[in-house]
């Protein structure tokens, strides 16, 4: 009897301590924005992460904005949090990186990505690794060799559709994006055995990246940790073979050679940097392409305007010529379509930051140590900023600044952490669209929408019906140029 009473008292004390610790920040910070903390331990994280169509804000944000306004407090990812759906505050947070705010991703994400990932490092180490990323972009840029590689990869994927009437487009987009990035980063063909092994582990890694952080054998998170280890081993093998000398399977790659020779970065830094590059170049580009096909596939007028623009560009070129930087700059309507897709689709829904000190902004205070989540997607869908924000309308960008960083439009983040390779992703998407719209028309095969998990995914793989504009038995014009 005494043991039972003591156990009950112990449990009651523990529960009281948990509840007290959960709600204590509310008592200590009366000037924080309005909001709610949800239940102890889990807070409101489950509701926040509940999947929803990526071209909507989702039920959680909609209900909280309606009740508390565009800036509110919550308890997410195990910490008191200020959630911002306000364009001005989002811009303020992103532009004050390392002064008032600092990158602060949850521990489980750091556990998968690695402590050297550009996404999670801070301070001087972030500046050094970001410098490597900028060097990679500078070495790639709009160089003819890079553009020819992208053009060739796009032609190969589209040419492979000959004789088909359907495709799971997400797989096609991943094939193209992975082929483009691995050649630039590691100098290997996508068909190389080492690269095939790398790709086998990559999808497992991505599925666990934002799963529940239960490192128990068999869970998506545990499988992702193991996949990360295998990816690292494969990348180490690739880099070691590169270091020993070219055996003929590698193409010349000033970037990978420069990375290996860099004495300022540890071996783990180098491996993690290659993984970051694949994550950015592969996942982001493939999702962008899938959303382009999704939105354009529902807009015959948009598809027709794309065809007119790209027919004009192709009419001035010989059939064996690759696209150039000058022709990319002529794709003005294509740029509007890409920007509108980024606005509607919201590849990056939000970013993680932490207040380094008490920050007074307008009528409220963001307490030191609290997490801050700028919700980039909510700004893109704000009816006060965009007329009919749920409508896909590339013409809204006509005459406007096409850059992808600003208060109203920040699909790739901003400030010191603006994605270094964002323009490369847009180039690859534009080149793929060029060959796609010139050779094929398509329509969606059934209902499948981009879902925010918070990463964006088409649950069914975006099945589409396709038909070639050339109805003869001859191959598309570019097949012989692969």
């Amino acid at each position: 009897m005494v043991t039972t009473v003591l156990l009950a008292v112990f449990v009651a004390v523990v529960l009281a301590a948990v509840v007290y610790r959960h709600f204590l920040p509310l008592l200590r910070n009366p000037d924080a924005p309005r909001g709610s903390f949800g239940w102890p331990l889990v807070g409101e994280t489950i509701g926040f992460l509940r999947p929803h169509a990526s071209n909507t804000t989702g039920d959680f944000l909609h209900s909280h904005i309606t009740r508390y306004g565009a800036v509110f407090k919550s308890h997410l990812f195990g910490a008191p949090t200020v959630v911002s759906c306000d364009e001005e505050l989002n811009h303020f947070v992103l532009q004050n990186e390392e002064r008032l705010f600092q990158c602060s991703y949850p521990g489980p994400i750091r556990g998968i990505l690695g402590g050297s990932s550009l996404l999670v490092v801070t301070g001087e180490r972030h500046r050094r690794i970001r410098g490597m990323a900028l060097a990679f972009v500078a070495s790639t840029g709009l160089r003819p060799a890079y553009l020819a590689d992208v053009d060739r990869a796009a032609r190969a994927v589209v040419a492979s559709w000959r004789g088909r009437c359907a495709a799971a487009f997400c797989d096609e987009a991943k094939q193209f994006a992975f082929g483009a990035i691995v050649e630039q980063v590691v100098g290997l063909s996508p068909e190389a055995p080492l690269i095939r092994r790398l790709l086998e582990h990559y999808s497992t890694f991505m599925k666990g990246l934002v799963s529940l952080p239960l490192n128990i054998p068999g869970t998506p998170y545990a499988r992702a940790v193991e996949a990360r280890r295998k990816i690292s081993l494969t990348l180490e093998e690739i880099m070691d073979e590169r270091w020993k000398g070219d055996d003929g399977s590698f193409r010349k790659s000033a970037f990978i050679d420069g990375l290996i020779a860099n004495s300022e970065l540890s071996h783990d830094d180098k491996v993690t940097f290659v993984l970051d590059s694949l994550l950015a170049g592969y996942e982001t580009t493939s999702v962008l392409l899938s959303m382009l096909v999704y939105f354009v596939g529902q807009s015959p007028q948009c598809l027709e305007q794309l065809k007119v623009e790209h027919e004009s560009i192709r009419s001035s070129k010989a059939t064996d010529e690759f696209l150039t930087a000058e022709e990319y700059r002529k794709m003005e309507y294509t740029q509007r379509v890409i920007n509108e897709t980024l606005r509607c689709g919201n590849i990056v829904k939000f970013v993680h930051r932490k207040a380094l000190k008490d920050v007074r902004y307008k009528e409220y205070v963001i307490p030191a140590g609290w997490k801050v989540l700028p919700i980039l997607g909510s700004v893109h869908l704000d009816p006060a900023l965009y007329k009919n924000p749920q409508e896909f309308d590339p013409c809204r960008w006509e005459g406007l600044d096409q850059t992808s960083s600003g208060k109203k439009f920040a699909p790739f983040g901003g400030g010191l952490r603006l994605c270094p390779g964002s323009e490369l992703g847009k180039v690859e998407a534009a080149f793929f669209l060029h060959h796609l719209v010139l050779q094929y028309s398509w329509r969606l095969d059934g209902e499948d929408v981009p879902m925010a998990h918070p990463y964006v995914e088409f649950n069914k793989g975006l099945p589409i019906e396709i038909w070639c504009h050339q109805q003869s038995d001859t191959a598309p014009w570019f097949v012989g140029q692969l």
Side-chain angles (χ1 to χ4, degrees):
M1 183 65 179
V2 174
T3 302
T4 302
V5 171
L6 289 175
L7 180 60
V9 171
F10 175 75
V11 171
V13 170
V14 170
L15 289 176
V18 169
V19 172
Y20 176 75
R21 183 177 180 184
H22 180 77
F23 290 107
L24 182 60
L26 290 177
L27 303 175
R28 287 181 170 175
N29 300 281
D31 293 332
R34 296 187 305 141
S36 59
F37 265 28
W39 294 94
L41 296 180
V42 297
E44 297 186 305
T45 305
I46 295 175
F48 179 77
L49 293 178
R50 186 170 291 121
H52 60 86
S54 71
N55 58 339
T56 70
T57 57
D59 291 339
F60 178 88
L61 287 179
H62 178 75
S63 64
H64 280 62
I65 292 171
T66 301
R67 185 174 180 182
Y68 303 117
V71 179
F72 58 88
K73 65 172 172 271
S74 184
H75 200 282
L76 303 172
F77 305 102
T81 304
V82 170
V83 179
S84 171
C85 300
D86 177 79
E87 60 163 329
E88 296 290 343
L89 180 54
N90 286 2
H91 184 73
F92 178 76
V93 171
L94 295 177
Q95 295 302 317
N96 280 281
E97 176 88 17
E98 300 293 352
R99 291 190 293 271
L100 300 177
F101 304 94
Q102 189 176 69
C103 178
S104 179
Y105 280 83
I109 291 181
R110 299 174 64 94
I112 293 181
L113 291 177
S116 302
S117 172
L118 185 61
L119 194 65
V120 301
V121 292
T122 59
E124 181 58 36
R125 197 175 186 195
H126 172 260
R127 283 188 284 273
R128 186 170 68 251
I129 297 177
R130 179 176 169 80
M132 288 296 300
L134 293 172
F136 167 60
V137 173
S139 70
T140 303
L142 295 179
R143 292 183 301 110
Y146 162 70
L147 298 180
D149 284 343
V150 173
D151 198 322
R152 189 179 296 109
R155 295 180 184 209
V157 172
V158 175
S160 72
W161 294 359
R162 186 178 178 227
R164 295 167 60 182
C165 60
F169 186 78
C170 288
D171 291 339
E172 307 293 331
K174 290 176 180 179
Q175 177 186 341
F176 163 71
F178 196 75
I181 192 64
V182 296
E183 290 204 37
Q184 299 305 316
V185 175
V186 300
L188 273 174
S189 164
E191 303 302 318
L194 283 175
I195 297 302
R196 285 185 172 273
R197 190 195 314 167
L198 194 65
L199 188 55
E200 287 175 6
H201 304 307
Y202 202 82
S203 61
T204 303
F205 169 78
M206 281 305 304
K207 289 178 181 177
L209 185 58
V210 291
S211 63
L212 288 176
L214 299 175
N215 200 359
I216 301 172
T219 63
Y221 182 83
R223 288 196 293 267
V225 171
E226 178 62 15
R228 166 67 164 79
R229 186 186 69 81
K230 292 179 178 179
I231 290 171
S232 295
L233 291 175
T234 303
L235 290 176
E236 288 179 10
E237 187 176 346
I238 290 172
M239 295 174 72
D240 287 344
E241 289 190 14
R242 188 80 187 204
W243 179 257
K244 292 174 184 176
D246 195 344
D247 64 357
S249 60
F250 289 91
R251 57 178 283 178
K252 291 189 178 298
S253 173
F255 173 73
I256 189 70
D257 294 335
L259 180 65
I260 293 172
N262 190 308
S263 59
E264 296 183 4
L265 299 177
S266 68
H267 187 69
D268 185 63
D269 286 343
K270 296 171 185 177
V271 171
T272 302
F273 183 82
V274 174
L275 180 59
D276 282 349
S277 301
L278 294 178
L279 177 64
Y282 168 63
E283 194 66 24
T284 304
T285 300
S286 64
V287 172
L288 172 57
L289 272 175
S290 297
M291 290 197 301
L292 279 165
V293 166
Y294 171 78
F295 287 115
V296 174
Q298 299 177 84
S299 176
Q301 181 181 3
C302 175
L303 177 58
E304 187 59 34
Q305 286 186 256
L306 283 171
K307 285 175 60 179
V308 169
E309 178 169 87
H310 288 281
E311 284 172 351
S312 174
I313 291 172
R314 178 51 57 183
S315 67
S316 63
K317 299 183 69 63
T319 58
D320 60 345
E321 284 186 279
F322 292 121
L323 293 167
T324 65
E326 180 181 356
E327 283 145 359
Y328 170 67
R329 297 186 186 99
K330 292 179 180 178
M331 300 179 185
E332 295 181 2
Y333 183 71
T334 302
Q335 291 295 334
R336 295 175 204 153
V337 172
I338 291 174
N339 278 349
E340 183 68 350
T341 298
L342 290 168
R343 185 194 68 81
C344 288
N346 296 300
I347 296 177
V348 180
K349 178 182 176 180
F350 62 92
V351 294
H352 291 261
R353 297 294 183 267
K354 179 178 69 176
L356 296 175
K357 61 182 74 173
D358 284 353
V359 178
R360 178 167 290 278
Y361 187 83
K362 295 184 178 179
E363 70 277 13
Y364 42 76
V365 172
I366 301 174
W370 281 36
K371 289 183 67 69
V372 183
L373 297 186
I375 311 295
L376 310 178
S378 65
V379 175
H380 298 160
L381 300 170
D382 187 344
L385 301 175
Y386 294 96
K387 183 179 180 180
N388 300 322
Q390 302 292 336
E391 181 181 334
F392 180 76
D393 180 17
C395 292
R396 74 171 78 243
W397 295 94
E398 189 171 353
L400 299 179
D401 184 7
Q402 298 292 311
T403 59
S404 57
S405 180
K407 293 182 180 180
K408 288 177 55 177
F409 185 56
F412 298 108
L416 295 177
R417 290 182 179 270
L418 176 67
C419 178
S422 58
E423 189 61 29
L424 299 185
K426 294 172 78 171
V427 169
E428 292 168 6
F431 277 33
F432 190 93
L433 271 182
H434 174 81
H435 294 294
L436 177 61
V437 302
L438 288 181
Q439 297 300 316
Y440 286 92
S441 292
W442 68 92
R443 60 172 167 258
L444 306 185
D445 184 10
E447 184 68 22
D448 197 11
V449 300
M451 297 293 292
H453 290 264
Y455 66 93
V456 178
E457 181 179 64
F458 288 86
N459 293 336
K460 298 178 182 178
L462 191 58
I464 59 173
E465 297 177 2
I466 54 177
W467 58 95
C468 186
H469 297 156
Q470 300 175 357
Q471 298 300 320
S472 68
D473 291 333
T474 60
W477 60 266
F478 55 70
V479 169
Q481 311 304 326
L482 300 179

